[in-house]
Amino acid sequence: MAIERYVQALPKAELHLHIEGTLEPELLFELGRRNKVKLRFPGVEELRRAYEFTDLQSFLDIYYEGAAVLLKDRDFHDLAWAYLSRAKADGVRHAEIFFDPQTHTSRGVPIEAVVEGLCAALKRAQRDLKLSSRLILCFLRHLGEDEAFEALRGARRYWGSLEAVGLDSSEKGHPPKKFERVFAKARAEGLKAVAHAGEEGPPEYVLEALDLLKVSRVDHGVRSIEDAALLERLARERIPLTVCPLSNVKLRVFKELREHNLGELLRRGLCVTVNSDDPAYFGGYVLENFLAVRRALALSPRDMAQLARNSIEASFLAEAEKSRLYAEIAALPLPE
Ligand code: HPA
Ligand code: ZN
């Protein structure tokens, strides 16, 4: 079996994926027409050409702009269904999906349209693609604590449909501690916690995410490498990092993929996983992320299997389901 086919066949969980970041230019224009939303780009080509980012903020500006075409249940369904079908082709068996309610409710879109549209697609994927999934409600960290509480309360009727809360958007200057109380409330209501930390922000933000927000895993977390004690703790406690290699290059966290620290984190025994973050903007879905790091960092087929295994371990799946997937990974013959 060729390596590409092997990596595709490995059962994988995708754990760092913003549903708004899967909005491909073609669907963006289709929804724009359907909803009569005027766009400042004449067409798909011009829009794609604008996807030249210099840092996280330069990406977020255009990402929030694109989300303006999402208005109705059906739009959120179509968005999530397109992602889930694409993920299935990459060998994704389970996806834990972020969404940003504040990006939509601030434009007058009811939370019902967002969650019900997404849930309809998730249900359809379970039935028709045998792909399981969960939803993670993210707070926008460039906004305040009050707004985060409002977002959590606004989704109250859907708490039972959510797996966890998360934290995303502009990291620098917005430390996790700003959201300590709203995370405590969410955990008290039975939700798990994850947070973006250590993408552009310092390792102290990773520590805050662990100690103040009590996260089960850290999204990105690549700057943890700057703090030896933190790195040891992440390895010892098997706290997963959901790493997004192509995203990190597009947003210039690393200059080139060859300089990425994923291989080193793996060698140091951390539970690192590979994910696509915002694939419509960063030029690759999860399989492309796996294959790109394999080439750039000269990772072995065993490393690919370890990364797939880590993704299952880091997921919120039940232990019995994890065991089934581990067995599938172990049974897959390694490529020549
Ligand atoms: N970081 C922070 N916020 C985000 C990202 C990211 O990588 N993607 C979408 N929102
Ligand atoms: Zn992200």
Side-chain angles (χ1 to χ4, degrees):
M1 197 190 288
I3 183 72
E4 288 78 11
R5 172 78 189 101
Y6 175 73
V7 179
Q8 191 266 341
L10 283 168
K12 295 175 287 296
E14 177 146 57
L15 307 177
H16 186 151
L17 183 282
H18 302 263
I19 202 63
E20 294 88 351
T22 68
L23 181 54
E24 292 286 348
E26 290 77 11
L27 182 58
L28 194 154
F29 274 90
E30 187 186 326
L31 297 182
R33 274 192 298 277
R34 192 154 100 188
N35 290 328
K36 305 190 168 45
V37 175
K38 247 193 126 20
L39 300 166
R40 77 181 157 94
F41 296 95
V44 165
E45 286 315 307
E46 291 80 0
L47 177 59
R48 254 191 231 286
R49 247 181 273 135
Y51 292 176
E52 279 297 328
F53 313 117
T54 50
D55 59 7
L56 175 57
Q57 193 59 51
S58 65
F59 154 69
L60 290 171
D61 293 341
I62 203 157
Y63 160 86
Y64 293 132
E65 186 180 346
V69 300
L70 297 162
L71 295 180
K72 309 279 185 215
D73 296 38
R74 188 181 154 205
D75 307 333
F76 289 92
H77 165 276
D78 294 355
L79 176 68
W81 179 250
Y83 162 68
L84 291 160
S85 319
R86 184 67 188 67
K88 172 76 181 180
D90 278 5
V92 172
R93 303 283 289 273
H94 176 73
E96 298 184 358
I97 299 175
F98 298 133
F99 71 107
D100 291 332
Q102 291 158 292
T103 299
H104 311 299
T105 53
S106 67
R107 300 180 287 113
V109 174
I111 186 72
E112 288 78 8
V114 180
V115 180
E116 285 174 28
L118 294 176
C119 281
L122 267 47
K123 230 184 248 162
R124 185 177 166 199
Q126 177 67 66
R127 190 188 61 213
D128 297 347
L129 307 175
K130 305 281 176 271
L131 198 166
S132 60
S133 49
R134 307 277 161 85
L135 283 178
I136 301 175
L137 180 158
C138 283
F139 303 117
L140 296 179
R141 71 202 301 162
H142 68 274
L143 302 176
E145 184 192 34
D146 289 350
E147 285 96 336
F149 267 109
E150 202 178 305
L152 184 60
R153 273 196 302 269
R156 182 180 201 109
R157 52 190 288 213
Y158 300 112
W159 288 352
S161 307
L162 303 176
E163 184 71 18
V165 291
L167 187 63
D168 64 5
S169 188
S170 325
E171 186 180 6
K172 283 187 190 155
H174 301 287
K177 67 168 177 280
K178 191 170 142 186
F179 298 94
E180 187 175 357
R181 290 183 293 197
V182 70
F183 268 66
K185 168 70 176 163
R187 284 186 287 100
E189 295 299 340
L191 297 169
K192 298 183 181 85
V194 300
H196 283 54
E199 178 187 18
E200 286 189 342
E204 291 75 45
Y205 285 17
V206 176
L207 276 167
E208 283 187 18
L210 295 173
D211 295 332
L212 305 181
L213 307 187
K214 309 208 184 302
V215 297
S216 304
R217 57 184 190 236
V218 175
D219 298 311
H220 294 298
V222 289
R223 285 196 59 194
S224 302
I225 205 152
E226 297 166 30
D227 178 340
L230 171 62
L231 212 59
E232 258 172 53
R233 175 178 172 192
L234 293 169
R236 191 173 57 245
E237 298 180 20
R238 292 288 291 167
I239 297 161
L241 302 186
T242 63
V243 175
C244 307
L246 293 176
S247 163
N248 289 160
V249 174
K250 284 281 181 190
L251 303 188
R252 306 198 186 168
V253 174
F254 295 93
K255 217 161 52 220
E256 290 183 82
L257 210 48
R258 272 187 309 185
E259 295 175 12
H260 202 288
N261 62 15
L262 178 89
E264 183 173 357
L265 296 172
L266 194 62
R267 278 192 298 281
R268 289 189 184 215
L270 273 81
C271 183
V272 284
T273 70
V274 168
N275 308 270
S276 68
D277 206 4
D278 302 281
Y281 293 89
F282 300 150
Y285 285 77
V286 76
L287 179 57
E288 285 157 277
N289 274 270
F290 268 80
L291 296 175
V293 287
R294 191 192 75 82
R295 283 189 299 268
L297 305 175
L299 299 181
S300 67
R302 276 183 207 286
D303 292 330
M304 294 289 102
Q306 183 64 48
L307 289 168
R309 198 179 188 287
N310 287 353
S311 76
I312 305 302
E313 178 184 342
S315 76
F316 294 126
L317 283 167
E319 286 306 321
E321 184 57 23
K322 288 185 181 184
S323 298
R324 269 194 289 278
L325 291 166
Y326 294 152
E328 270 193 53
I329 293 171
L332 212 58
L334 282 165
E336 304 303 298

